[in-house]
Structures are given as C-alpha cells and as structure tokens.
Amino acid sequence: MRLSEETEAWLRAGAEATMAEPTNGASRHFLAGLELAYLVASADGLAESEREVLAQALAEATGDVVDQASFARHFRDLDEAVAMLGRRERLSAAAAEVDDPHQRDLALRFAAVVAMADQHLDPSELAVLEQLGALFEWPPAKVHAMVEELR
Amino acid sequence: MSFINHLSKEINCKIVYYGPGLCGKTTNLQWVHEKTKPESKGKMITLATETERTLFFDFMPLDLGTVHGYKVRFHLYTVPGQVFYDASRKLILKGADGVIFVADSQESRMEANIESFENLGRNLVDNDLELAKLAHVIQYNKRDAPEAASLESLRGLLNPNRAPEFEAAARSGQGVFETLKGLAKLVLPRLSKPAP
C-alpha cells in the first residue's frame, strides 16, 4: 500500500488523537476516513487475508500508535456497524463528518489507496468511490483522474 | 443489536421512530437534533431514492455517563409512515435496540395508528424480532390537538404490552426528550458488555 507522506502524517496524527480523546476533531476525521476506506474496500467483500494485510499496513503507517490487532478488531466492529445501520447510511454519515475540502481530498485518496492495496480496483469499489465523490461534490471524471494518478 | 466501536470506545445502539404518516416522527427527530449540542451530534441525513426515504442522525447524550466504561452513542432513525415506504420501514428495523411508536392522538387518525402498529408487528417478525421482547415505548403525540382522543382509548388500542407511555406535543418539544429518556432506560441495561 503506497501512502503519501501527507497521508501517513494525517493517519498518525489521527491515531494519536483517537488514543488520547476519541471525540476531538482530528480523531473524528481519522475514524471517518478509516470507515470510508473500509466501505470502499469492502464493496466486493473483504477476505481474511486482505484484512490482515490492511491492518498491518495501517499499523505501520501510524507508527504502531494503533496496532495491527486493533485495526483488525476495528474492521470487525465496522462489519457490525454496516449490518445494523446500513452501508449507504454509514457512507453518508461518515462522509458528513469530513467537511473540509482538504480533508475530503485526503479521505478520498486514502480510500482509493486502501481499495487498491490488492493491486486491483473492482468495479464495485469504483462505484462506491464515485458515490463518495458525489457526497464530496466531486464529479466522476475527477474521481477517475485521481484513481489513474494513484494506480 | 448494539455494537461496540473499540477504537472510539463507544457502544452504539439503534433507536427507530415508527408510526403512521404525519404523526410527528420527523418532528421528534428534528427537536432532539436541534436541542443537542453540536459537539455531541452528527449531521441530520436524509437518504432518498424513488422508493425509499430514511432520515437519521447520531448523538451522544452527555448526561448518560458511561456504560461498562464506554460512552453510549444513539443512532436515531425514522422512515416516512406512508404505505408506499413499507420496504424501507422493514429494513430500518434490522438490528434495532429499541422502538418508539409515535401515535397521532387525533380521533380521525385512529385507523392509521392501528394499521401502523400492526405493520410494526409484522415487520418486526420479518426481522426475527418481537415487540413484546424488544425495548419499546409509546408516545401519544399531538395531545394539544382539539380532537385528541382519550388516553384510555389510545392505550386500549395501541399498548397491549403495557409499555411505558408518554404524552407529547412534539412541535413545541413537549414530551420529546421524556420519551427518548424513557426508552433509553429500557435499552441501556440490555447493552452488550465490551470484550476486554
């Protein structure tokens, strides 16, 4: 998974904020960004091996501020959130937490990178990226251009 | 049923407002949203397609404290009462921790109340739930309406399980938080304990 330096810094700051005080601004953006990435990456299912790779990569990106086991457990928590509250509903609610254009840019790029961690972007994952783009007022062409840039 | 977010240290539970069209479900939600501090709530979201419409938001009541050391986040959901949206109403009940049945107190809406209450029972069964076993309260809304029915007649028709009941006039906020707190009292003791 190739994350930019800025994304890694954003992840680390968010992870530190979450461990200190889960309801502050940086933490809310971090948790929303994680959930959005999960929703995109799990659009075509999320196999155990994929979860393991993602949890390990995210733990490394945060400098182990949040460890691999905690990320793996977080994915299971998000499975339950989707089952209970609805996938479309969670996408809208998590997107609404990210209201700053720069944070939106970071969140969309992060979601795309996570979805492509297995070197493949399934059409169902791209469709969720487009839905997320629409919630952020990004036209589909801008989402596609971002995906091409990240490939 | 409730789920735990271990990273944010929150127990999340889902509350559904149910009732006939125009009984005041959305008004209840809007009142709670308006009166909750910005830092404790998410945005009010409306999801609409040709055949579905769902209104929801989440919030963390600060006065509740913690349960098993975790904060509690409520996700309040509603779906329009019109017959047209029955598929949405069924879906929305999935995983509900509690239901607030909002009845319209006006005599002329009695048939709609009964129809909606029966519809709730059927949709719960389709979700492997049963009203008698699910945390629920009844809100008799529009008590300020000139043709409001008596509490006895409403109770006889809409509260066979003798659930806690609340009178309300949601447009002025009367009884809105009392109803929600009444349900919270039933839901909280049933919440799952976080794994260590």
Side-chain angles (χ1 to χ4, degrees), chain A residues 18-19 21-23 27-28 30-31 34-35 66 70-71 73-74 76-78 80-86 88-90 92-99 104 135, chain B residues 1-10 12-14 39 41-43 45 47-49 52 54 56 58 60 70-71 73 75 77 91-92 94-97 195-196:
Chain A
T18 300
M19 300 318 278
E21 177 47 73
T23 51
S27 169
R28 279 184 20 243
F30 169 71
L31 292 168
L34 270 184
E35 185 166 7
V66 176
S70 298
F71 275 115
R73 186 167 61 176
H74 190 57
R76 288 197 297 275
D77 292 346
L78 293 175
E80 289 187 25
V82 164
M84 185 170 114
L85 301 171
R88 280 189 320 137
E89 287 79 357
R90 287 315 305 157
S92 296
E97 286 289 325
V98 189
D99 41 16
R104 286 178 168 185
L135 291 167
Chain B
M1 295 299 160
S2 64
F3 73 91
I4 291 152
N5 187 326
H6 292 86
L7 262 188
S8 60
K9 296 192 170 45
E10 289 171 4
N12 291 264
C13 51
K14 182 178 185 181
E39 63 270 24
K41 67 182 177 189
K43 289 202 173 79
I45 291 170
L47 277 187
T49 65
E52 289 180 61
T54 312
F56 62 95
D58 62 84
M60 211 153 45
Y70 280 55
K71 291 174 188 161
R73 186 176 290 278
H75 297 259
Y77 276 67
L91 268 179
I92 210 180
K94 191 179 174 193
D97 292 284

Side-chain angles (χ1 to χ4, degrees), chain B residues 1-2 13-15 64 67 72 74 96-101 131-139 159 161-166 177-192:
Chain B
M1 295 299 160
S2 64
C13 51
K14 182 178 185 181
I15 306 293
L64 264 187
V67 175
V72 180
F74 286 106
D97 292 284
V99 170
I100 293 174
F101 184 81
L131 188 60
K133 292 180 184 166
L134 183 69
H136 71 283
V137 299
I138 314 287
Q139 181 190 78
N159 196 2
N161 300 307
R162 294 284 177 263
E165 48 191 19
F166 300 88
F177 274 103
E178 289 82 351
T179 306
L180 183 56
K181 282 179 184 168
L183 183 66
K185 272 187 197 170
L186 301 178
V187 168
L188 291 177
R190 303 181 186 201
L191 292 180
S192 342

Side-chain angles (χ1 to χ4, degrees), chain B residues 4-74:
Chain B
I4 291 152
N5 187 326
H6 292 86
L7 262 188
S8 60
K9 296 192 170 45
E10 289 171 4
I11 301 179
N12 291 264
C13 51
K14 182 178 185 181
I15 306 293
V16 176
Y17 284 75
Y18 211 94
L22 304 176
C23 68
K25 302 179 295 294
T26 300
T27 311
N28 267 271
L29 241 71
Q30 285 169 337
W31 186 268
V32 176
H33 192 259
E34 273 171 29
K35 299 295 171 189
T36 303
K37 288 181 179 172
E39 63 270 24
S40 329
K41 67 182 177 189
K43 289 202 173 79
M44 174 83 88
I45 291 170
T46 305
L47 277 187
T49 65
E50 277 182 16
T51 53
E52 289 180 61
R53 203 175 133 217
T54 312
L55 190 72
F56 62 95
F57 76 98
D58 62 84
F59 82 112
M60 211 153 45
L62 299 175
D63 53 349
L64 264 187
T66 58
V67 175
H68 310 304
Y70 280 55
K71 291 174 188 161
V72 180
R73 186 176 290 278
F74 286 106

Side-chain angles (χ1 to χ4, degrees), chain B residues 138-141 143 151 165-169 174-176 178-179:
Chain B
I138 314 287
Q139 181 190 78
Y140 303 119
N141 192 24
R143 294 308 297 159
L151 279 182
E165 48 191 19
F166 300 88
E167 293 184 70
Q174 186 200 324
V176 170
E178 289 82 351
T179 306

